[in-house]
Amino acid sequence: MAPSSDFLSLGPRTSLYTPAKPTKGELIIISTWLGAAPKHIAKYTAVYQRIAPGARILLIESAVPILVSSYARQRAAIVPAVSAVLDTLAECSDTSLPANNNNNNNNNNNNNNNNDDDDDDEDEDENAAGGQPKSAPSSIASEENNKPPTPKILLHMFSNGGTNTATQLLFVLNDHLRAPLPLLGGMLYDSCPAKGTYWKDHRAMAYSLPKDLISQTLGNIVVHIILLMLHTEIACGLENPSSLLRRTLLDGRKLSGGGASWEEYPSSSGGGGEEKEEGVAAI
C-alpha cells in the first residue's frame, strides 16, 4: 500500500512517485522492512522528496507472504519494479551514438581522399587568424550539451525484508542488463543485513502480524512452522538466506559504482527500532 496518492501503483506492493519536473536518470529505490506501515514509510519518502525534488521514487514493500514464497515467485512479482529501473536507464542511453559513428566513418573517408585540400585549408585558416589555430567546431559543443545524463540511482534497503526484496530485484535486473546495475547514487543499508537466532527471528516476524488475539495466536503457530522448515533446510545444506543477501549485495557482477555505503542500526532513543523490529530477522 503506497504511503500517499502521489504514488502510482505498478503492481503488488510496488509503486512509483514521479515529481512534476523529473530529472532524467535520477531514481531512488526504497525497499521497506517486513510489514512496514504506510505512516512509517511516508516519513522516509517525504525526506527524499525534500532533498531530491527531481528524483523519481520507486517504492517496493515487503509483506509477510514472501516468507512462504519461492524465489521464483518473488522474482516474478518484482518485474514491475524492474521495468521502472530499466525506464530510468533508458533515459541515459546515447541513442545518437550509431549516427555519430557513421558520420565519423564518412569524415575519415573524405579526409583520406582530400589530404592535400585539408593542408591548404589549415594554412589559410592559420594565416587568417594571425597564426592561431582555428577554434573547435560549434557542433562539438552541441554534442556535449546533448550528451545523455549519467544514471544516478540510490538503493535504500531496510532490514532483512527489504534486503531480500532488493536481492531479488538485482537478480532479475541482471538477467535483463547482462551487466551490473550502475548505482552512482550509492547504497544505504539500514539495519541490515542481519543474522538472528531462532527466537529473534520469531519475535521479528511476529511483530508484523495483526494485533488481534486470533491473528496473534494463529500467526505465531505459522511463524514457528516457517522457522522450523527454514532451519531444517539450512541444517540439510541450504544456504542461509542472510548469507545469500550479503553475497549478492557485494557481487560486482550485480552492482557497480556504489560509492560510499554504510549501515544504520535502530537505537533505543527513537531511532526507529520499534518500527523496524524486523531488522533482527534472518529472512
Side-chain angles (χ1 to χ4, degrees):
M1 181 178 179
S4 74
S5 59
D6 294 337
F7 282 76
L8 174 66
S9 176
L10 302 181
R13 299 184 296 279
T14 304
S15 54
L16 179 68
Y17 165 78
T18 302
K21 296 181 179 180
T23 303
K24 288 185 177 181
E26 290 191 5
L27 179 67
I28 297 169
I29 304 173
I30 299 178
S31 186
T32 73
W33 62 97
L34 189 67
K39 65 178 181 179
H40 297 147
I41 298 173
K43 296 179 181 179
Y44 295 94
T45 58
V47 169
Y48 281 123
Q49 288 170 335
R50 184 174 69 253
I51 65 178
R56 293 181 177 88
I57 301 176
L58 176 61
L59 176 64
I60 313 173
E61 300 178 62
S62 178
V64 175
I66 69 169
L67 299 177
V68 291
S69 297
S70 64
Y71 286 151
R73 293 184 62 183
Q74 292 182 47
R75 292 169 190 175
I78 207 77
V79 168
V82 171
S83 298
V85 178
L86 294 177
D87 288 345
T88 299
L89 295 177
E91 294 178 340
C92 304
S93 62
D94 189 356
T95 56
S96 65
L97 186 57
N100 288 339
N101 287 337
N102 291 335
N103 289 337
N104 290 336
N105 292 334
N106 292 334
N107 290 336
N108 289 335
N109 292 334
N110 291 335
N111 288 337
N112 291 333
N113 295 332
N114 299 287
N115 286 334
D116 293 338
D117 292 340
D118 290 343
D119 292 338
D120 293 339
D121 290 341
E122 289 177 3
D123 292 339
E124 291 175 2
D125 289 339
E126 289 185 3
N127 291 334
Q132 298 296 324
K134 59 184 179 180
S135 60
S138 59
S139 60
I140 295 180
S142 177
E143 288 179 4
E144 289 295 326
N145 292 334
N146 293 330
K147 186 178 180 181
T150 300
K152 296 180 180 179
I153 301 176
L154 172 68
L155 177 58
H156 190 164
M157 298 161 286
F158 293 88
S159 290
N160 279 14
T163 309
N164 174 72
T165 301
T167 297
Q168 308 313 321
L169 175 70
L170 293 176
F171 270 104
V172 181
L173 274 171
N174 192 253
D175 288 340
H176 283 78
L177 297 173
R178 298 298 177 183
L181 175 67
L183 287 178
L184 295 183
M187 291 185 292
L188 180 55
Y189 300 84
D190 200 324
S191 313
C192 64
K195 184 177 181 180
T197 64
Y198 182 96
W199 285 106
K200 285 184 177 180
D201 291 348
H202 177 274
R203 184 184 64 181
M205 294 165 63
Y207 183 83
S208 302
L209 297 171
K211 303 306 178 186
D212 61 278
L213 180 60
I214 295 178
S215 297
Q216 285 287 315
T217 302
L218 296 179
N220 272 280
I221 296 174
V222 173
V223 167
H224 278 297
I225 293 174
I226 293 173
L227 287 174
L228 286 171
M229 292 174 59
L230 174 63
H231 284 265
T232 299
E233 290 176 340
I234 293 174
C236 293
L238 176 72
E239 181 179 12
N240 191 308
S242 61
S243 299
L244 173 64
L245 306 184
R246 289 184 175 88
R247 182 166 54 81
T248 302
L249 295 172
L250 294 174
D251 190 347
R253 295 169 297 180
K254 301 287 192 302
L255 296 162
S256 67
S261 58
W262 61 94
E263 298 182 4
E264 292 184 355
Y265 295 92
S267 67
S268 58
S269 57
E274 181 176 299
E275 299 169 9
K276 295 180 293 188
E277 184 71 20
E278 195 265 335
V280 299
I283 59 176

